[in-house]
Amino acid sequence: MLTLAIIIYVILAVILGPMWPLEMFFKAGLLGKFIVAAWVALLIGGINA
């Protein structure tokens, strides 16, 4: 799960920039917040596994 979170981060960082989680959380609508929350859940799940 951690590997998947890192891959997703790298892909979106190339497309949107390295600060995409913060930008999507504060500037995007509800869908952006959902995407960031899902990514954070993957990241936390991978770290705790």
Side-chain angles (χ1 to χ4, degrees), residues 19-32:
M19 297 298 289
W20 70 264
L22 295 175
E23 291 176 5
M24 283 187 77
F25 188 78
F26 291 116
K27 293 181 182 177
L30 185 60
L31 182 61

Side-chain angles (χ1 to χ4, degrees), residues 3-43:
T3 306
L4 182 61
I6 292 171
I7 291 170
I8 291 171
Y9 177 82
V10 169
I11 290 171
L12 290 177
V14 168
I15 296 170
L16 301 174
M19 297 298 289
W20 70 264
L22 295 175
E23 291 176 5
M24 283 187 77
F25 188 78
F26 291 116
K27 293 181 182 177
L30 185 60
L31 182 61
K33 287 180 174 58
F34 178 73
I35 291 170
V36 172
W39 177 76
V40 168
L42 267 177
L43 188 62

